[in-house]
Each structure stands twice: as structure tokens, then as C-alpha cells.
């Protein structure tokens, strides 16, 4: 057995990122400035559509400001999958609106579009689809439903930079998409986020809101170019991205294609070699899965998920559970009467995420495979063919 613990995820930071940060630190201009603008443009270029972008300090801030910019507030409803991180639903509560939780589809763990349709009322103002693990929601199906009902689509693309839906990158389907550059995500700045949209007005509105409601010219006010004068045009927040984070993001973006290729290669090893009793989420040739996460599920009649996690930990393998459905958390339980989401509840008991990061070696992947298969092989009471 290997001595060293293999974590679930580890940021892939190279010399390039270190050099870029050093350069910004020496430049004397640490906060929002030219590096952020450069990063915003580079992301739009990468996504390959006529898009506009605003760099922020998190994806959560991006989701929140997208709701605010869409005029969502008290009395409104926003449909959110229950299979997600706190951020997706908390931001709805921040606006005063109500998150309406929706069950997910078993094969992808993305929002169940049929059930989403049934949840639409005249109060529904938006839906926040999450591209779980880096596999895209069926945007071709969601777009016309949202269009017909006049509701906004704000994509939680925290897992999905580089993900493609039918040959087109995630980020240009909905009205707005928010990416995360958190430490474990496919592209990381440590912390950071970005909203992209094909609507320039919305992006500029979010930019202003991200910095106290002050016009963007204020960012130049300490330069020779700038002026001391600024105006607060509306209420706003402090969610801006800075040059230090943006400089890391710029290097990461240059490496992103390669990093995603690596994740996909590891996924291939897993798919080919893991015990046949392991269930995996959907992947197909129509879409490009960017494998932010690799989740597996095992029938609880074979082994309980919790015991499985414990056994892998003993073998120095880090795992986690994505996600504990929102409706199972005490806070959200108190918020809703109905807390029965059959698919999410069933899958939750059997699912776990296994190590997946671009700096992982083939040997690491084979170690995970061998250990998982060995745990299953050693289970008592198993007969050949049974
Ligand atoms: C990580 C994550 C977020 C939040 O991203 P931050 O950049 O940390 O704010 C939102 N939604 C999902 C599904 C996530 O996994």
C-alpha cells in the first residue's frame, strides 16, 4: 500500500503561475486593473462566442449579482436543483426570493427538466441549472422552456469551464453563466469567479454592482490617467477580482485544454478498469465532459457508502460526497414542508467522488482502481457470478 495519502483533489500550479504572481506583486498594482481585463478577454476568447465577462472574487458573488441584475427579489421564485452546493440556493435567499428545489436526473445528476417544468409558476423568475461534475445540462431542452415561460437562465457553471454541449462551450447558452476559480475547480485562482453573458448591458451592470455601484472609471483613480472624482450611482457590493488572482487565472487558462485532456484520460482509465458493479454518471460523445469530479455509486446491498469511504481512507485514498442534497441539510429542512426527492435521496446513499485532478499520474489512478476493486473483491459472502 502506498504511504502517501492521495487526496480527492489538488490544485495544478506550475512555475508559470508563480512567476506571474511575482510579476504583479512587483508591479505595485495589486487590485482590479489590467490583468483582470486581460483575463476577462481571454476567457471570452476561449469560450469562442461574442461574450462579455466580469471578473469577481467568487462564483457565488457571480450567481448573486446575476440574480440582482435580473431584478429578482422578494416574492419571486427561482428553481434550483437540490443536488448542488449551498451557494446555488443561498444566493436566491440573499435576494429575498425563494429557491424552489428540484430533483435531478439519475444518469447525470443534473436538474430533471421534466420536473423543473412542473415547478414553474407565475412567480418563477429564473432557473439555475448546475452542470454537475462538468457534464452539461441539456441546454437545448431548457432554453425553449425558459423562453416560453419568460424566465431567465442563470447557469451555475462552477464545474463547467471547458465543458461542451453539442460542440459549443458552456457559457454562451443561458442569459448568464457564473464560473468558479476556487482551489479545487478545473481552473483555479485560489479564489475567484467570473460571469459571462452575451448581454453587454447586464455584464456592465454586474461590474458596477460588484464595486459599490461606482462607475468602472473609478478603477483608474490612482493612476495618472484617472481622476479623483467618482460617483456612486446605485447601491453595490465589494466583489471585484484583483490583478493577483487574475494573473494566476491567465496562466491556468493557457493550460486548461491540456489539464482537461488529462482529467479525461484519468476518467478513461477509471471507466475501463473499475469493477463492473461500480455505477458511473453519464458521459457521451455528444458532449465534452470536463470531469471536475469523478463520481461512482455502489449498490448499498453490496457495501454501504460510508463503510466504502472508510475502507478507502484506510488505504490512503481521499474521497468525498458531492453533494449532500440541499433538502437534507437542517436549514433547508426547516424551510420546506416537502423534503422528498426520490432520485436525489436514493443516489445520495450510494454515491462518492474519487480522486480526480490534472496533476494525478496514471500510477495514482491505477492505485485507486486496484484498491477499489480489491475492497469489493474481499467483501464477505460474494460468490462467483453473484
Ligand atoms: C464551488 C461551487 C460554487 C461556488 O463557487 P465559489 O467560487 O467558491 O463561490 C457554486 N456552485 C457549485 C455547484 C460549486 O461546486
Amino acid at each position: 500500500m502506498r504511504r502517501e495519502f492521495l487526496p480527492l483533489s489538488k490544485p495544478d500550479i506550475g512555475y508559470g503561475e508563480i512567476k506571474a504572481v511575482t510579476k504583479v506583486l512587483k508591479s505595485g498594482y495589486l487590485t482590479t486593473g489590467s490583468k483582470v481585463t486581460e483575463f476577462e478577454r481571454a476567457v471570452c476568447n476561449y469560450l469562442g462566442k461574442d461574450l462579455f465577462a466580469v471578473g469577481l472574487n467568487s462564483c457565488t458573488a457571480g450567481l448573486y449579482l446575476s440574480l440582482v441584475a435580473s431584478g429578482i427579489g422578494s416574492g419571486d421564485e427561482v428553481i434550483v436543483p437540490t443536488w448542488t452546493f449551498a451557494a446555488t440556493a443561498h444566493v436566491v435567499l440573499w435576494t429575498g426570493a425563494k429557491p424552489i428545489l428540484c430533483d435531478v436526473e439519475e444518469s447525470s445528476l443534473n436538474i430533471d427538466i421534466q420536473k423543473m417544468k412542473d415547478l414553474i409558476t407565475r412567480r418563477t423568475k429564473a432557473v439555475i441549472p448546475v452542470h454537475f461534475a462538468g457534464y452539461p445540462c441539456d441546454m437545448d431542452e431548457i432554453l425553449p422552456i425558459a423562453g416560453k415561460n419568460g424566465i431567465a437562465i442563470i447557469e451555475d457553471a462552477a464545474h463547467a469551464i471547458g465543458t461542451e454541449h453539442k460542440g459549443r462551450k458552456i457559457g454562451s447558452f443561458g442569459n448568464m453563466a457564473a464560473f468558479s476559480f476556487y482551489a479545487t475547480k478545473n481552473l483555479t485562482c485560489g479564489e475567484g469567479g467570473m460571469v459571462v453573458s452575451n448581454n453587454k448591458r447586464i455584464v456592465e451592470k454586474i461590474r458596477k454592482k460588484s464595486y459599490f455601484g461606482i462607475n468602472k472609471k473609478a478603477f483608474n483613480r490612482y493612476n495618472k490617467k484617472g481622476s479623483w472624482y467618482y460617483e456612486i450611482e446605485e447601491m453595490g457590493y465589494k466583489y471585484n477580482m484583483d490583478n493577483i488572482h487574475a494573473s494566476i487565472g491567465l496562466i491556468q487558462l493557457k493550460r486548461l485544454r491540456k489539464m482537461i485532456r488529462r482529467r479525461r484520460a484519468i476518467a478513461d482509465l477509471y471507466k475501463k478498469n473499475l469493477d463492473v458493479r461500480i455505477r458511473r454518471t453519464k458521459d457521451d460523445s455528444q458532449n465534452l465532459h470536463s470531469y471536475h469530479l469523478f463520481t461512482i455509486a455502489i449498490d448499498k446491498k453490496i457495501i454501504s457508502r460510508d463503510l466504502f469511504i472508510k475502507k478507502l481512507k484506510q488505504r490512503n485514498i481521499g474521497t468525498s460526497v458531492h453533494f449532500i442534497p440541499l433538502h437534507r441539510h437542517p436549514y433547508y429542512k426547516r424551510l420546506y414542508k416537502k423534503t422528498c426527492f426520490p432520485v436525489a435521496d436514493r443516489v445520495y446513499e450510494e454515491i462518492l467522488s474519487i480522486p480526480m485532478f490534472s496533476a494525478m499520474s496514471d500510477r495514482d489512478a491505477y492505485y485507486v482502481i486496484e484498491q477499489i476493486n480489491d475492497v469489493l473483491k474481499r467483501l464477505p459472502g460474494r460468490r462467483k457470478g453473484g
Side-chain angles (χ1 to χ4, degrees):
M1 191 176 66
R2 54 185 279 152
R3 277 237 187 79
E4 212 184 308
F5 184 72
L6 179 66
L8 176 77
S9 171
K10 201 157 85 181
D12 189 345
I13 296 292
Y15 184 58
E17 284 84 345
I18 294 166
K19 221 165 62 182
V21 169
T22 309
K23 208 168 149 195
V24 172
L25 292 176
K26 286 182 174 167
S27 77
Y29 203 108
L30 308 188
T31 186
T32 308
S34 62
K35 283 288 157 195
V36 177
T37 311
E38 209 183 308
F39 186 34
E40 288 165 354
R41 289 197 184 127
V43 169
C44 292
N45 255 337
Y46 169 78
L47 297 174
K49 280 268 162 189
D50 294 328
L51 291 171
F52 304 92
V54 49
L56 300 164
N57 61 2
S58 74
C59 170
T60 306
L63 292 170
Y64 175 59
L65 292 179
S66 296
L67 291 166
V68 170
S70 308
I72 287 158
S74 157
D76 296 336
E77 293 178 355
V78 177
I79 302 174
V80 168
T82 191
W83 197 271
T84 186
F85 183 58
T88 324
H90 275 23
V91 293
V92 177
L93 291 167
W94 294 357
T95 68
K98 186 170 185 195
I100 302 297
L101 301 183
C102 184
D103 206 356
V104 287
E105 215 182 67
E106 177 143 14
S107 59
S108 63
L109 300 173
N110 283 335
I111 194 163
D112 184 315
I113 298 173
Q114 206 48 49
K115 290 180 184 165
M116 176 197 95
K117 222 166 135 183
D118 295 340
L119 291 171
I120 295 174
T121 69
R122 55 185 181 78
R123 289 171 184 268
T124 310
K125 290 286 153 56
V127 55
I128 311 184
V130 177
H131 306 289
F132 177 71
Y135 182 82
C137 296
D138 193 339
M139 297 311 290
D140 285 353
E141 237 187 283
I142 296 179
L143 280 162
I145 298 170
K148 217 169 73 194
N149 292 281
I151 63 182
I153 302 174
I154 296 167
E155 294 169 76
D156 181 337
H159 299 183
I161 191 144
T163 294
E164 291 175 19
H165 176 52
K166 296 180 184 165
R168 188 168 140 200
K169 287 209 171 65
I170 287 299
S172 61
F173 288 94
N175 301 79
M176 287 144 263
F179 293 106
S180 172
F181 308 135
Y182 179 71
T184 59
K185 304 288 158 75
N186 285 14
L187 182 162
T188 185
C189 304
E191 296 276 2
M194 194 174 284
V195 170
V196 300
S197 171
N198 57 12
N199 184 331
K200 188 176 180 188
R201 199 183 49 80
I202 286 265
V203 167
E204 290 317 314
K205 199 164 165 181
I206 291 174
R207 191 187 307 284
K208 196 193 288 182
K209 283 276 183 204
S210 77
Y211 194 73
F212 299 108
I214 292 172
N215 202 298
K216 74 171 176 187
K217 288 186 196 108
F219 291 127
N220 274 324
R221 72 186 185 280
Y222 302 121
N223 286 343
K224 198 166 176 188
K225 286 186 283 194
S227 156
W228 60 270
Y229 186 75
Y230 63 87
E231 283 178 349
I232 301 165
E233 295 172 349
E234 57 187 81
M235 202 278 285
Y237 307 84
K238 178 77 167 58
Y239 289 151
N240 53 304
M241 179 181 272
D242 63 71
N243 277 353
I244 302 172
H245 287 84
S247 71
I248 304 172
L250 273 163
I251 305 294
Q252 287 265 298
L253 187 63
K254 286 199 183 109
R255 301 174 52 215
L256 184 61
R257 277 195 177 87
K258 223 172 151 181
M259 291 196 293
I260 290 176
R261 225 180 297 137
R262 184 70 202 131
R263 284 176 181 270
R264 290 179 53 77
I266 295 160
D268 280 341
L269 291 180
Y270 283 160
K271 284 188 279 184
K272 277 192 200 110
N273 298 301
L274 281 174
D275 188 295
V276 291
R277 291 169 292 173
I278 295 285
R279 297 202 314 276
R280 303 179 258 105
T281 49
K282 202 167 168 183
D283 191 1
D284 55 63
S285 55
Q286 269 202 346
N287 296 299
L288 191 111
H289 196 322
S290 61
Y291 282 106
H292 165 55
L293 298 170
F294 195 95
T295 61
I296 61 173
I298 181 83
D299 193 325
K300 60 183 170 193
K301 290 196 251 8
I302 298 171
I303 182 173
S304 88
R305 186 267 317 275
D306 296 358
L307 182 60
F308 198 32
I309 285 181
K310 208 166 134 191
K311 285 186 180 288
L312 291 177
K313 196 173 187 175
Q314 283 164 358
R315 292 164 184 242
N316 267 339
I317 295 172
T319 57
S320 188
V321 175
H322 298 90
F323 287 102
I324 303 168
L326 289 179
H327 69 269
R328 297 180 74 109
H329 289 280
Y331 176 75
Y332 281 95
K333 256 188 212 164
R334 269 182 262 131
L335 226 56
Y336 302 98
K337 285 192 199 80
K338 176 185 178 265
T339 59
C340 166
F341 298 83
V343 176
D345 280 327
R346 177 157 30 86
V347 176
Y348 168 64
E349 311 230 309
E350 302 188 335
I351 202 164
L352 65 150
S353 306
I354 59 174
M356 172 55 83
F357 51 97
S358 51
M360 227 173 118
S361 66
D362 281 4
R363 237 180 109 195
D364 294 334
Y366 280 118
Y367 179 72
V368 174
I369 291 161
E370 272 163 31
Q371 297 303 316
I372 286 178
N373 292 350
D374 190 58
V375 167
L376 294 180
K377 207 174 74 190
R378 283 167 193 271
L379 290 175
R382 189 180 162 246
R383 303 275 180 276
K384 195 169 181 283

